[in-house]
DNA sequence: GGACGGTGAAACTTCAGGTTGCCTC
DNA sequence: GAAGTTTCACCGTCC
């Protein structure tokens, strides 16, 4: 194949290649190693494009209005979209992600600069897959080459047989001859890495131990060992003695946490028998298994709930508990300039916290600070801060906020269930309230309004500011005012929800809805 | 003389991804 | 390790 000659229009070859693809009226995916880089790549490309189209203008507006108040990320994406460029990563709101994907498929968007999200799972082929970075930051090891498997995933996006492409091009960028040789050797000619069983990780192993016992699949340690022997994990591990001792450790934890009871047979009766160590699952253990919860997390929650019965726990206490579980990881990082205010907040509310709190000198302290940061961010969501404010203040993008809110809700739901089983009635009430406010993103005063269908944080606040503060006020409010605030359909709907079926207000008189800003 | 604004270099900071549960407030 | 962001010194202009 003859070498491509591509004009140098920008400061990076990956961008030049992407622009060249657009010139040929084809599509490209540019894979970047960070979200920031994906965004700036798309923006730089957009700056080089001067075409315009009505379709893209419309799409950009749609992208901009996905959230009730657009974030700077929304504005940036909308700017790119206007030029037929886009970025894609987990920080996008899910609707925006879908819009980007769909409009790449239908050809309106020409280039997507993305993190590896697009390479996994999504079927989004393009004529060219440009892999801008083959290295990624790997904690204390600095920049490291990505796995060959990941390279294959990304390169595999090149070529669209469904669109009669006869070939596709996967392009890596090297800055020296030596690097080019490295890339060929490490990625293009290299087989993918071995796959290891996920069971080999302790959290997964202990979850399965408990759930196998809880579902009656295994009644003794022997049956557990038999089961794992037949799995891919057993096949890979081979050494069943080692597995047995790992299982021993897991079972001891489960027993210590009161999820199972092990009835041991006299040791000297049968020296070699794993034999008759019966496993009995407690009520608590059964519920933990049903909740698909890592037993360690469950134990962590239960310990914290016990503490909560003995002191005043606030919503922040429950949020921070949820944020300190493994399920919420990876946690958003704490920036240097944030450390001070998080520690200040910590000083203030330390007595309220119910989860384990390491000292400054322990290695867990970093993660603890992060959990505190996320908890504060979620709390400010409940205090009605907008997505943009949270992005600016905490550097947590809308998509990520949404994901963390869901995870947090799941953990808190589990906490609620466990509290019910343990008969901690007061706690249940508080967790429910926390979950509700977290779901809706409202202050306490808006709870009665936000309970109504079709009323979220925006409408509830609008009503409240106009003196309508609860169901009683909605009953009293006249339709004209409600219509003015929320529009006719929603107003009628609200009245219906509280048991009043009102005929439509006189037609033709309808004024525009009142903007939130003015009231 | 001082406030202000623009510029560029140096110093500093940050870094990918995503499934599970329930109906009740 | 590299790209992006912030900070800061420096200079010119204006009032």
């Amino acid at each position: 194949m003859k070498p491509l000659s591509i004009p140098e229009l920008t400061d990076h070859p990956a961008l030049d290649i992407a622009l060249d693809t657009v010139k040929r009226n084809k599509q490209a995916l540019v894979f970047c190693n960070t979200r920031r880089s994906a965004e700036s790549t798309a923006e730089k490309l957009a700056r080089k494009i001067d075409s315009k189209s009505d379709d893209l203008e419309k799409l950009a507006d749609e992208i901009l209005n996905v959230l009730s108040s657009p974030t700077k990320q929304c504005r940036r994406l909308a700017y790119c979209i206007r030029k037929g460029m886009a970025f894609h990563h987990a920080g996008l709101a899910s609707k925006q992600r879908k819009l980007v994907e769909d409009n790449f498929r239908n050809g309106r968007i020409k280039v997507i600069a993305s993190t590896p999200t697009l390479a996994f799972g999504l079927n989004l082929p393009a004529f060219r897959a440009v892999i801008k970075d083959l290295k990624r930051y790997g904690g204390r090891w600095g920049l490291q080459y990505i796995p060959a498997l990941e390279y294959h995933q990304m390169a595999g996006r090149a070529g669209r047989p469904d669109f009669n492409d006869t070939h596709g091009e996967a392009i890596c960028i090297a800055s020296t001859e030596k690097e080019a040789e490295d890339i060929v050797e490490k990625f293009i000619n290299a087989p993918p890495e071995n796959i290891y069983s996920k069971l080999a990780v302790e959290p997964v192993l202990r979850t399965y131990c408990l759930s196998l016992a809880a579902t009656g699949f295994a009644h003794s340690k022997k049956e557990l060992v038999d089961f794992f022997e037949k799995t891919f994990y057993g096949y890979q591990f081979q050494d069943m003695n080692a597995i047995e001792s790992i299982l021993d450790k897991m079972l001891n934890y489960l027993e210590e946490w009161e999820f199972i009871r092990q009835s041991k047979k006299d040791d000297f009766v049968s020296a070699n028998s794993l034999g008759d160590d019966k496993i009995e699952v407690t009520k608590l253990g059964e519920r933990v298994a049903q909740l698909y919860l890592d037993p360690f997390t469950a134990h962590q929650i239960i310990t914290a709930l016990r503490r909560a019965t003995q002191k005043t726990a606030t919503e922040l206490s429950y949020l921070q508990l949820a944020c300190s579980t493994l399920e919420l990881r990876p946690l958003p990082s704490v920036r240097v300039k944030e450390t001070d205010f998080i520690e200040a907040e910590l000083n203030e509310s330390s007595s309220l916290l119910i989860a384990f709190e390491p000292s400054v000198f322990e290695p867990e302290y970093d993660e603890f600070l992060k959990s505190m940061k996320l908890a504060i961010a979620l709390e400010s969501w409940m205090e009605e801060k907008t997505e943009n404010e949270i992005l600016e203040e905490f550097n947590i993008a809308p998509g990520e906020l949404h994901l963390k809110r869901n995870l947090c809700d799941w953990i808190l739901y589990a906490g609620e269930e466990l509290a019910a089983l343990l008969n901690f009635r007061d706690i249940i009430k508080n967790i429910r309230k926390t979950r509700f406010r977290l779901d809706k993103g409202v202050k306490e005063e808006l709870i009665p309004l936000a309970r109504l269908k079709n009323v979220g944080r925006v409408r509830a606040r609008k009503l409240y500011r106009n003196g309508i503060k609860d169901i009683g006020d909605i009953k009293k409010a006249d339709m004209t005012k409600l219509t003015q605030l929320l529009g006719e359909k929603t107003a009628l709907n609200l009245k219906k929800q509280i048991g009043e079926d009102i005929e439509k207000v006189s037609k033709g008189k309808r004024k525009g809805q009142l903007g939130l800003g003015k009231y």
Side-chain angles (χ1 to χ4, degrees):
Chain A
M1 201 161 68
K2 74 173 186 219
L4 290 170
S5 116
I6 288 172
E8 261 184 59
L9 301 171
T10 70
D11 59 352
H12 199 291
L15 302 188
D16 294 333
I17 296 168
L19 289 172
D20 176 74
T21 319
V22 178
K23 213 174 90 195
R24 291 164 193 247
N25 211 14
K26 303 239 180 196
Q27 290 175 294
L29 294 170
V30 182
F31 289 103
C32 310
N33 64 357
T34 65
R35 292 181 187 180
R36 205 161 59 175
S37 153
E39 291 191 16
S40 81
T41 301
E43 196 181 317
K44 280 180 194 162
L45 288 173
R47 278 201 216 116
K48 296 281 173 188
I49 306 266
D50 45 6
S51 67
K52 255 187 163 183
S53 95
D54 290 348
D55 281 349
L56 289 174
E57 288 291 325
K58 245 170 82 185
L59 181 60
D61 286 343
E62 205 178 334
I63 291 269
L64 201 58
N65 292 315
V66 156
L67 304 174
S68 52
S69 68
T71 62
K72 66 173 181 195
Q73 182 185 270
C74 300
R75 284 190 286 272
R76 199 174 192 190
L77 183 57
Y79 169 77
C80 296
I81 294 279
R82 275 178 230 284
K83 307 292 182 76
M85 308 288 121
F87 54 84
H88 187 286
H89 56 63
L92 294 191
S94 65
K95 208 168 165 191
Q96 290 173 332
R97 270 214 257 181
K98 191 159 182 324
L99 282 170
V100 169
E101 289 155 20
D102 291 348
N103 284 281
F104 188 78
R105 275 196 201 96
N106 68 25
R108 280 197 194 113
I109 294 177
K110 297 297 176 199
V111 180
I112 301 181
S114 97
T115 55
T117 14
L118 276 189
F120 291 91
L122 270 171
N123 179 27
L124 213 66
F127 172 65
R128 273 185 187 150
V130 185
I131 298 138
K132 185 165 170 263
D133 309 291
L134 280 161
K135 288 181 174 176
R136 187 183 306 131
Y137 177 74
R140 60 188 151 142
W141 294 282
L143 278 198
Q144 287 201 306
Y145 277 115
I146 59 170
L149 184 67
E150 206 170 299
Y151 162 78
H152 288 214
Q153 287 282 357
M154 298 197 280
R157 301 296 119 180
R160 313 210 300 172
D162 295 352
F163 291 75
N164 297 325
D165 275 3
T166 51
H167 73 289
E169 296 175 0
I171 302 172
C172 302
I173 314 288
S175 45
T176 61
E177 277 298 321
K178 171 79 180 67
E179 203 186 341
E181 281 167 27
D182 269 4
I183 291 172
V184 172
E185 189 188 331
K186 276 193 164 61
F187 295 102
I188 298 171
N189 292 336
E193 291 79 4
N194 290 334
I195 293 172
Y196 290 96
S197 167
K198 290 232 170 196
L199 266 180
V201 193
E202 271 195 28
V204 182
L205 200 57
R206 60 195 174 217
T207 308
Y208 276 92
C209 278
L210 183 60
S211 86
L212 286 169
T215 51
F217 222 85
H219 303 91
S220 64
K221 194 173 92 189
K222 180 174 184 320
E223 287 178 23
L224 274 180
V225 174
D226 285 348
F227 175 85
F228 283 116
E229 205 166 9
K230 290 183 203 123
T231 62
F232 178 50
Y233 171 61
Y235 166 79
Q236 210 163 38
F237 215 97
Q238 301 224 319
D239 181 358
M240 275 300 130
N241 284 331
I243 289 193
E244 204 192 309
S245 78
I246 296 172
L247 285 182
D248 259 335
K249 195 171 118 192
M250 297 293 121
L251 290 175
N252 287 339
Y253 277 134
L254 292 178
E255 184 163 39
E256 188 188 318
W257 299 335
E258 297 173 21
F259 299 144
I260 61 165
R261 281 187 285 270
Q262 304 183 78
S263 55
K264 298 243 162 79
K265 242 191 157 186
D266 290 338
D267 286 333
F268 54 84
V269 174
S270 55
N272 70 339
S273 80
L274 316 156
D276 298 295
D277 290 3
K278 286 270 177 279
I279 299 172
E280 196 188 327
V281 180
T282 63
K283 273 236 165 339
L284 209 52
E286 214 170 284
R287 196 74 192 99
V288 170
Q290 281 168 357
L291 291 166
Y292 286 97
L293 216 52
D294 173 0
F296 176 71
T297 299
H299 171 66
Q300 214 182 331
I301 294 175
I302 292 167
T303 316
L305 293 183
R306 291 217 164 95
R307 266 183 224 137
T309 59
Q310 284 160 19
K311 56 160 128 179
T312 24
T314 61
E315 276 143 328
L316 186 68
S317 323
Y318 295 111
L319 290 176
Q320 196 274 327
L321 166 64
C323 295
S324 65
T325 61
L326 286 177
E327 279 80 352
L328 267 281
R329 292 194 191 177
L331 294 167
S333 56
V334 173
R335 293 174 293 178
V336 175
K337 59 181 173 186
E338 290 171 331
T339 315
D340 281 354
F341 95 83
I342 295 173
E343 285 185 335
E345 177 74 37
L346 209 49
N347 277 336
E348 216 169 281
S349 47
S350 168
S351 64
L352 302 170
L353 298 187
I354 51 176
F356 168 72
E357 196 178 332
S359 82
V360 192
F361 308 102
E362 286 173 88
E364 293 92 349
Y365 190 75
D366 271 0
E367 285 296 306
F368 173 68
L369 267 193
K370 289 184 191 170
S371 74
M372 194 64 199
K373 164 175 165 170
L374 183 56
I376 297 170
L378 292 172
E379 195 191 32
S380 57
W381 165 253
M382 300 192 337
E383 288 296 308
E384 296 177 41
K385 289 236 166 116
T386 64
E387 275 133 328
N388 191 44
E389 284 167 327
I390 291 172
L391 178 65
E392 303 263 327
E393 261 179 61
F394 301 95
N395 199 27
I396 299 176
E400 210 175 356
L401 180 70
H402 182 81
L403 194 74
K404 297 300 183 201
R405 269 167 52 207
N406 274 341
L407 284 169
C408 212
D409 182 57
W410 169 49
I411 295 294
L412 289 178
Y413 167 75
E416 201 181 308
E417 292 292 303
L418 293 172
L421 208 60
L422 296 164
N423 236 339
F424 297 159
R425 295 233 177 91
D426 293 344
I427 289 181
I428 301 177
K429 230 173 36 193
N430 289 332
I431 299 183
R432 271 198 194 153
K433 195 172 83 189
T434 311
R435 285 183 61 210
F436 183 84
R437 287 189 52 204
L438 186 64
D439 177 37
K440 296 281 187 166
V442 293
K443 289 187 188 167
E444 198 162 347
E445 63 201 27
L446 291 190
I447 293 179
L449 292 173
R451 284 228 171 89
L452 292 160
K453 236 179 131 183
N454 296 322
V455 178
R457 59 182 351 206
V458 176
R459 285 174 173 167
R461 180 48 67 194
K462 208 183 220 180
L463 289 168
Y464 195 91
R465 279 194 190 153
N466 284 277
I468 301 171
K469 302 189 172 177
D470 53 30
I471 308 293
D473 290 338
I474 293 184
K475 273 197 176 130
K476 277 184 262 162
D478 74 318
M479 267 306 285
T480 327
K481 186 170 182 188
L482 276 185
T483 303
Q484 226 174 13
L485 288 169
L486 306 175
E488 187 178 314
K489 273 198 172 161
T490 318
L492 278 170
N493 184 297
L494 286 198
K495 285 286 193 187
K496 206 169 170 184
Q497 282 186 61
I498 55 167
E500 289 177 36
D501 212 351
I502 289 178
E503 285 301 303
K504 288 187 176 179
V505 246
S506 58
K507 282 197 176 158
K509 264 189 150 180
R510 186 171 180 247
K511 290 179 187 162
Q513 292 184 22
L514 299 178
L516 187 61
K518 298 178 207 162
Y519 291 87

